[in-house]
Amino acid sequence: MPTTGGDVLLDHGHDGQVAYLTLSHGGYTIVTMEMRARMAERFAEIDRDSNVRAVVVRSDGKHFTSGGDIAGFMEVDPIDLTDLGQDVTAPARSAKPVVVAVDGYCFGVGLELALSCDIRLATERSEFALPEMNLGMIPGSGGTQRLSRLIGLSRAKYHILTATRIKAQQALDWGLVAELYPDRAALDEGVEKLVGKLIGFSPAALRTGKEVLDRGIDGPLYTGIELERKAYSMLRATQDFAEGVKAFGEKRKPTFTGR
C-alpha cells in the first residue's frame, strides 16, 4: 500500500523574515505525494508574503529523507507523472533565497528537493544519492539535470547510473554542499548564522542575484554577461542601493527595504 500523510510544517522566525519549512513524516521521512503537493502550496504562501526574506527547508526526522513514496507511484496515472517535478522544485522558482539543512540520508526526491534550493548545508554524517536505478527508473524531479550541472556530467553519470551514494566530504569537495557541520546542533547554529546574514541584505539584490545566476548559467557567456549588466543597471535605480552607498559613507549598517 502506498504511504500517505506526512506534512510540510511552516513557521516563522526573525520577526517573520525567515520562513521555516519542516518535512515531517517519521524517522526516515518518507516523502509522500501529499507532502509533494504541500511543498508547492507552502512556497506559494511564502512567495506571497513580502515580509519573508529567506527560507529554510529542514526535516524533523532522524534523516532529512530516505526518499519518496515508492509504492505510491504505482497508484499514479503515468500521464500525471509528467508534471512530477513541479512540486518539490518550488524552491528554484521562488524569488527568495532558499537554504536547505541536511542531516543524514538525502536520497531520491530528497536530493532533488535539496538541489532545487540555493544553498545546501549538511552534517558530516550526511549521504546523498539518486538510487532510482535500483527500481528500474531514473530521477524524475530534476535530479539528472541539476546534479550534472553542479558536480559535472561525468560524476553525475557515475552516481546516477550506478546508484552510488555521495559521502558528505565528497559533496563538500565537489560543491554540492557549501558547508559541513559535525552534528545537527552545529548545523542548526550554522543555518541561523547564515539566514541572519541573508536577511540583512537587500531583498531586491538577493532576488536579482538569484535570477541572474540561475538564468545566466544555462545560456552562452555573452548572454549571461548582458543579463548581469542590465540587472546591475536596474539595481542602480533602487532605494536600497542609495541606502547602501549612504550607509557605507556614514560607516553604519544599512537598512534595506526591498525597494
Side-chain angles (χ1 to χ4, degrees):
M1 293 294 291
T3 57
T4 58
D7 203 353
V8 179
L9 308 175
L10 171 61
D11 55 15
H12 296 81
H14 295 269
D15 296 323
Q17 295 181 92
V18 179
Y20 295 90
L21 292 177
T22 305
L23 301 175
S24 184
H25 195 205
Y28 285 82
T29 323
I30 295 174
V31 178
T32 65
M33 294 295 182
E34 294 175 43
M35 292 170 68
R36 282 175 170 267
R38 185 59 58 85
M39 180 64 69
E41 293 169 3
R42 293 302 196 195
F43 264 99
E45 182 178 348
I46 289 168
D47 289 341
R48 290 192 299 267
D49 189 343
S50 60
N51 192 44
V52 173
R53 295 193 177 191
V55 185
V56 174
V57 178
R58 58 191 181 184
S59 171
D60 63 9
K62 179 181 178 182
H63 295 277
F64 179 71
T65 170
S66 59
D69 172 15
I70 295 173
F73 281 104
M74 300 307 294
E75 305 295 323
V76 181
D77 191 284
I79 192 64
D80 293 331
L81 294 178
T82 58
D83 292 327
L84 187 65
Q86 295 303 307
D87 40 31
V88 296
T89 59
R93 297 189 299 276
S94 176
K96 306 171 194 290
V98 183
V99 178
V100 61
V102 175
D103 181 35
Y105 296 158
C106 184
F107 295 166
V109 64
L111 179 50
E112 292 179 302
L113 170 61
L115 290 170
S116 297
C117 298
D118 301 303
I119 301 174
R120 286 162 291 281
L121 307 180
T123 59
E124 294 173 356
R125 77 179 187 109
S126 297
E127 298 181 34
F128 304 83
L130 293 171
E132 286 82 358
M133 279 293 162
N134 292 319
L135 303 173
M137 182 49 77
I138 65 170
S141 297
T144 62
Q145 302 306 301
R146 287 196 168 95
L147 187 64
S148 60
R149 283 164 170 75
L150 275 172
I151 69 173
L153 183 58
S154 179
R155 287 170 176 160
K157 282 184 176 180
Y158 174 75
H159 284 279
I160 292 174
L161 298 183
T162 67
T164 301
R165 299 180 185 183
I166 301 172
K167 301 295 186 180
Q169 188 60 50
Q170 282 181 311
L172 178 64
D173 293 342
W174 294 348
L176 180 56
V177 301
E179 296 283 353
L180 286 182
Y181 298 88
D183 52 37
R184 186 172 293 197
L187 173 63
D188 291 342
E189 290 179 9
V191 168
E192 288 305 298
K193 182 178 179 180
L194 176 57
V195 296
K197 186 173 186 177
L198 286 172
I199 62 177
F201 294 135
S202 162
L206 287 172
R207 179 177 64 251
T208 304
K210 175 175 178 173
E211 184 175 10
V212 168
L213 285 161
D214 285 342
R215 298 291 183 268
I217 196 67
D218 285 333
L221 177 60
Y222 70 85
T223 301
I225 290 175
E226 182 69 7
L227 178 62
E228 177 188 87
R229 184 180 66 81
K230 290 182 177 179
Y232 187 95
S233 178
M234 180 274 293
L235 286 173
R236 166 62 181 83
T238 63
Q239 295 177 23
D240 275 353
F241 181 68
E243 163 64 9
V245 171
K246 183 179 180 181
F248 179 81
E250 296 175 352
K251 294 182 172 54
R252 62 173 173 82
K253 185 177 179 179
T255 300
F256 294 122
T257 63
R259 298 179 179 176

